[in-house]
Amino acid sequence: MHSDTQTGPAAPPEASAHPDAPGHVLAVRGAVIDVGFPGQTLPGINDALEIGAPGAPPVLAEVQAHLDRDSVRAIALQATTGLGRGAPVRCPGGPVSVPVGEAVLGRLVNVAGQPGDGLADFAADVPRRPIHRAPPDFAGQSGAEEIFSTGIKVIDLLAPMALGGKAAMFGGAGVGKTVLVMELIHAMVASYQGISVFAGVGERSREGHEMLLDMTGSGVLGRTVLVYGQMNEPPGARWRVPMTALAIAEHFRDERGQNVLLLMDNVFRFVQAGAEVSGLLGRLPSRVGYQPTLATEVAALQERIASVGGAAVTAIEAVYVPADDFTDPAVTTIAAHVDSTVVLSRAMAAEGMYPAVDPIASSSILLDPLVVGEEHARVALEVKRTIEHFRELQDVISLLGMEELGAADRRIVGRARRLQRFLTQPFAVTEAFTGVPGRSVPVAETVAGCRAILEGECDGWNESSLYMTGTLEEARSKEEAARAGGPAA
């Protein structure tokens, strides 16, 4: 039974647990550890604990509940193998703190800020920062209005991203979320001069190794920090890895005044880890089995991503959609916090339309004439309208064929199919598999190309000339080459 100490008045500041308060382990149940502090002031919720294990480094844990006046329940952030009752417990004081600043650039660290790249440990004088922190005051935040150009046609046209905003890629398994995030990293390396922080949350270890090798090979690792809590780690580590990445990003934003690009793959795994932790702590599940604190946990993460003063944290997040169900509570909760929503479609991936971004379902609050300009907004709206009209006619085409459509509808269908193909694009990160060099297209070229297709300039072209190209001029060259070479080309 919980005592009334948990809901009573807050303790005065001076009554926090002594940094070396002697505690001891009362029970270990997997990742859940009960710790006793007889006669001591209990550490606060979210405070760190260091638990001694014989012949091994101390295990890091985080307080999640006060059980009574003398004991707390904690979640381990590292494996608890070898821990036993009576093991000594130390309170460092305050939440888990991680190294930040210049020292972590080019490094791979875990949830506790310890190196995972086989290089030297961080020096004792490296500044550290707690992973838990209140979001910046609303009055101190600056709005996100400057466009963050990615060079990816379909995103820049239909779901433009904001510098200092939050963009999320939603998609089921195997539709290309990680490839899209990798391409965004690659596309921004040349033009983006800030710091990048990548949080690998609950993803495969293989993907972590590939990311490290790719970044080392492309020479961008020097401006990047990789923070990993992988699938094979305890739920506590996967749950807190985004907080570690945020602490590092906030240091560069606040103390150094630098823009930070925060990439998270995959935010759904953060929610999933939170649900595991909630179950381990014995909380009753809520909708669809998720934790009752789902909205609070997602808000605690997302509200810290903001622009303050002249420096911005721009977030690009991959979000797994379980069983392609976009009404899933985790997906809808995350979607409520983002500015740009990029929805990946399994049907488009099956047709070979890569990136498989659904042009109708994807949206952005920045797709406004006052932000992107009248021409961009008009062309984007017309592209969506044309593709939507084509989708409405698809059942008729499947049953009766194109011949049964009127001349106007046939023209719209032809232009919609050409638009869909023009919005495909070869990626630099897939060049090793496809043999096709990646393309980065300026926004103005994308808008001009779509406008030309909408106006009928490409009505007589082969659809294949527009597929997997960069600019319209490149597609024009392919079309001319095909015509010059005849049917065999």
Side-chain angles (χ1 to χ4, degrees):
M1 191 76 180
H2 287 240
S3 77
D4 58 358
T5 53
Q6 196 171 0
T7 54
E14 65 273 12
S16 60
H18 189 274
D20 290 307
H24 61 277
V25 172
L26 299 174
V28 181
R29 291 181 295 277
V32 179
I33 305 169
D34 292 351
V35 181
F37 292 94
Q40 300 282 342
T41 303
L42 296 181
I45 302 294
N46 290 337
D47 273 11
L49 300 177
E50 291 178 358
I51 303 165
V59 173
L60 194 63
E62 190 178 273
V63 176
Q64 291 300 315
H66 290 176
L67 299 178
D68 52 41
R69 293 182 185 277
D70 291 324
S71 61
V72 301
R73 179 160 288 164
I75 283 287
L77 304 186
Q78 295 163 336
T80 56
T81 311
L83 283 189
R85 289 183 187 172
V89 179
R90 178 177 167 273
C91 296
V96 174
S97 63
V98 295
V100 295
E102 290 287 332
V104 294
L105 289 176
R107 300 298 300 271
L108 186 151
V109 298
N110 64 11
V111 65
Q114 297 160 342
D117 48 14
L119 301 178
D121 285 348
F122 296 110
D125 59 350
V126 170
R128 301 180 77 87
R129 192 164 188 157
I131 65 170
H132 293 290
R133 186 179 181 219
D137 291 337
F138 183 71
Q141 297 182 23
S142 48
E145 289 184 7
E146 187 182 338
I147 297 294
F148 199 71
S149 180
T150 65
I152 298 172
K153 289 184 285 190
V154 66
I155 292 177
D156 286 345
L157 179 72
L158 301 174
M161 297 181 181
L163 186 67
K166 294 187 275 281
M169 321 285 170
F170 294 94
V175 293
K177 294 181 303 299
T178 299
V179 171
L180 197 52
V181 169
M182 291 280 289
E183 181 65 15
L184 284 165
I185 295 170
H186 193 277
M188 290 164 185
V189 164
S191 58
Y192 183 75
Q193 295 304 312
I195 301 296
S196 298
V197 179
F198 181 86
V201 187
E203 289 299 280
R204 302 167 188 86
S205 300
R206 169 185 61 75
E207 291 173 341
H209 288 300
E210 285 178 4
M211 173 77 74
L212 185 58
L213 288 170
D214 285 347
M215 291 202 158
T216 306
S218 59
V220 300
L221 193 60
R223 295 207 313 273
T224 306
V225 186
L226 302 176
V227 188
Y228 276 98
Q230 295 300 95
M231 254 179 200
N232 58 339
E233 295 189 48
R238 288 178 270 127
W239 191 40
R240 289 311 188 206
V241 150
M243 303 303 182
T244 300
L246 266 173
I248 293 169
E250 285 169 339
H251 173 83
F252 285 110
R253 180 193 68 193
D254 299 341
E255 268 80 17
R256 309 291 296 277
Q258 289 177 287
N259 287 336
V260 183
L261 179 63
L262 177 65
L263 301 127
M264 283 194 271
D265 187 7
N266 183 307
V267 182
F268 176 79
R269 303 290 177 208
F270 159 73
V271 172
Q272 200 174 38
E276 288 179 51
V277 168
S278 183
L280 289 169
L281 293 172
R283 297 186 192 132
L284 287 173
S286 182
R287 289 169 57 206
V288 199
Y290 285 109
Q291 61 270 45
T293 50
L294 171 65
T296 312
E297 288 175 15
V298 171
L301 173 69
Q302 300 285 358
E303 293 301 304
R304 286 171 64 182
I305 302 167
S307 303
V308 178
V313 173
T314 306
I316 295 172
E317 309 168 8
V319 183
Y320 167 68
V321 179
D324 289 349
D325 178 13
F326 285 87
T327 64
D328 186 87
V331 175
T332 54
T333 304
I334 295 165
H337 289 272
V338 299
D339 309 315
S340 302
T341 305
V342 178
V343 177
L344 295 163
S345 157
R346 190 170 299 283
M348 292 191 66
E351 290 175 24
M353 300 295 169
Y354 288 107
V357 174
D358 187 328
I360 309 302
S362 302
S363 62
S364 169
I365 60 168
L366 296 176
L367 198 57
D368 183 304
L370 297 173
V371 180
V372 296
E374 292 279 353
E375 181 69 357
H376 184 152
R378 185 188 64 77
V379 169
L381 184 63
E382 195 60 34
V383 166
K384 286 193 172 199
R385 189 179 291 136
T386 304
I387 293 173
E388 181 66 26
H389 192 73
F390 167 50
R391 288 187 180 177
E392 288 167 3
L393 294 169
Q394 272 183 320
D395 285 347
V396 177
I397 296 167
S398 301
L399 291 168
L400 304 173
M402 285 278 286
E403 295 73 24
E404 295 302 314
L405 298 179
D409 280 346
R410 276 206 301 272
R411 190 165 57 245
I412 285 173
V413 168
R415 288 175 186 174
R417 287 176 62 87
R418 285 171 175 81
L419 281 168
Q420 283 187 333
R421 280 150 183 75
F422 179 63
L423 291 175
T424 62
Q425 190 169 341
F427 280 174
V429 294
T430 58
E431 187 176 336
F433 311 107
T434 62
V436 181
R439 301 283 192 278
S440 179
V441 183
V443 183
E445 295 272 10
T446 302
V447 173
C450 290
R451 185 175 61 241
I453 294 169
L454 289 166
E455 290 172 354
E457 194 177 309
C458 309
D459 282 0
W461 292 17
N462 291 318
E463 290 178 3
S464 58
S465 298
L466 293 156
Y467 180 66
M468 284 292 169
T469 59
T471 63
L472 192 68
E473 287 309 308
E474 188 183 328
R476 193 189 306 278
S477 302
K478 280 177 71 174
E479 175 68 15
E480 288 169 358
R483 287 182 179 177

